[in-house]
């Protein structure tokens, strides 16, 4: 079973905000004539890359809770211009909404085992149509 990552989505106010930011960055890359791909740069290189690339995703924490994920496509370690080792976590640009799951703030990324991952919201999920604050309250009460 695939291993996942979890990370705070700093600066995003909502899933829609993240989706808009991704679309903007991809369009900027198209116009600049560079490779059009979505990635996040991090200092630490995951040691369990093979497990992550076997169907894993990065789960984004937005405003105190996991709300969505993006599938990991590649992990590319590199050394920046200042000689510091870094890593590009390359994602499928599609954002998949998940059940809201509360999370406290933390730094960097963490591994997230499948047993602890929130489920995806599907088209048949009635809770998907509810406003976030109502979904959050119902989830906290164990009703979603």
């Amino acid at each position: 079973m695939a291993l996942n990552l979890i990370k705070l989505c700093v600066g995003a106010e909502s899933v829609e905000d993240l989706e808009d930011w991704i679309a903007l960055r991809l369009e900027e890359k198209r116009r600049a004539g560079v490779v059009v791909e979505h990635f996040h740069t991090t200092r630490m290189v995951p040691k369990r890359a093979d497990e992550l690339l076997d169907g894993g995703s990065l789960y984004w924490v937005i405003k105190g809770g996991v709300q969505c994920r993006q599938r990991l496509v590649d992990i590319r370690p590199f050394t920046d211009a200042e000689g510091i080792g870094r890593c590009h976590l390359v994602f499928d640009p599609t954002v998949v909404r998940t059940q809201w799951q509360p999370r406290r703030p933390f730094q960097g990324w963490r591994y997230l085992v499948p047993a602890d991952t929130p489920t995806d919201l599907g088209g048949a999920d009635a809770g998907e149509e509810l406003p976030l604050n109502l979904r959050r309250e119902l989830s906290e009460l164990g009703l979603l």
Side-chain angles (χ1 to χ4, degrees), residues 3-36:
L3 183 65
N4 302 293
L5 295 175
I6 186 168
K7 180 165 181 27
L8 298 181
C9 191
V10 178
E13 296 293 319
S14 65
V15 176
E16 294 81 8
D17 195 19
L18 174 62
E19 290 171 326
D20 291 345
W21 184 84
I22 292 168
L24 175 69
R25 295 288 299 164
L26 293 177
E27 183 56 33
E28 287 173 349
K29 289 179 180 188
R30 273 187 207 93
R31 280 190 246 143
V34 297
V35 176
V36 180

Side-chain angles (χ1 to χ4, degrees), residues 5 45-46 48-49 52-53 72-77 87-90:
L5 295 175
V45 178
R48 300 171 69 181
L52 291 167
L53 294 174
L72 280 160
V73 175
D74 200 4
I75 297 173
R76 298 184 193 138
C87 178
H88 284 154
L89 301 174
V90 184

Side-chain angles (χ1 to χ4, degrees), residues 17-135:
D17 195 19
L18 174 62
E19 290 171 326
D20 291 345
W21 184 84
I22 292 168
L24 175 69
R25 295 288 299 164
L26 293 177
E27 183 56 33
E28 287 173 349
K29 289 179 180 188
R30 273 187 207 93
R31 280 190 246 143
V34 297
V35 176
V36 180
E37 63 182 5
H38 176 57
F39 61 85
H40 176 76
T41 304
T42 183
R43 176 118 188 232
M44 303 304 293
V45 178
K47 303 228 183 306
R48 300 171 69 181
D50 290 341
E51 292 172 83
L52 291 167
L53 294 174
D54 188 25
S57 293
L58 184 132
Y59 284 76
W60 290 110
V61 177
I62 301 172
K63 293 296 189 185
V66 176
Q67 295 189 41
C68 60
R69 68 176 178 87
Q70 286 183 275
R71 187 176 57 81
L72 280 160
V73 175
D74 200 4
I75 297 173
R76 298 184 193 138
F78 69 98
T79 302
D80 70 11
E82 298 171 357
I84 299 171
R86 301 205 183 271
C87 178
H88 284 154
L89 301 174
V90 184
F91 307 114
D92 180 320
T94 304
V95 175
V96 178
R97 292 167 192 267
T98 65
Q99 291 288 344
W100 187 85
Q101 185 183 78
R103 287 290 169 148
R104 293 181 186 264
F106 58 92
Q107 287 190 322
W109 52 261
R110 303 281 186 270
Y111 290 112
L112 184 65
V113 296
D116 295 337
T117 60
T119 57
D120 291 350
L121 290 178
D125 191 328
E128 184 176 12
E129 301 302 320
L130 298 173
L132 175 61
N133 60 341
L134 184 55
R135 275 199 336 248

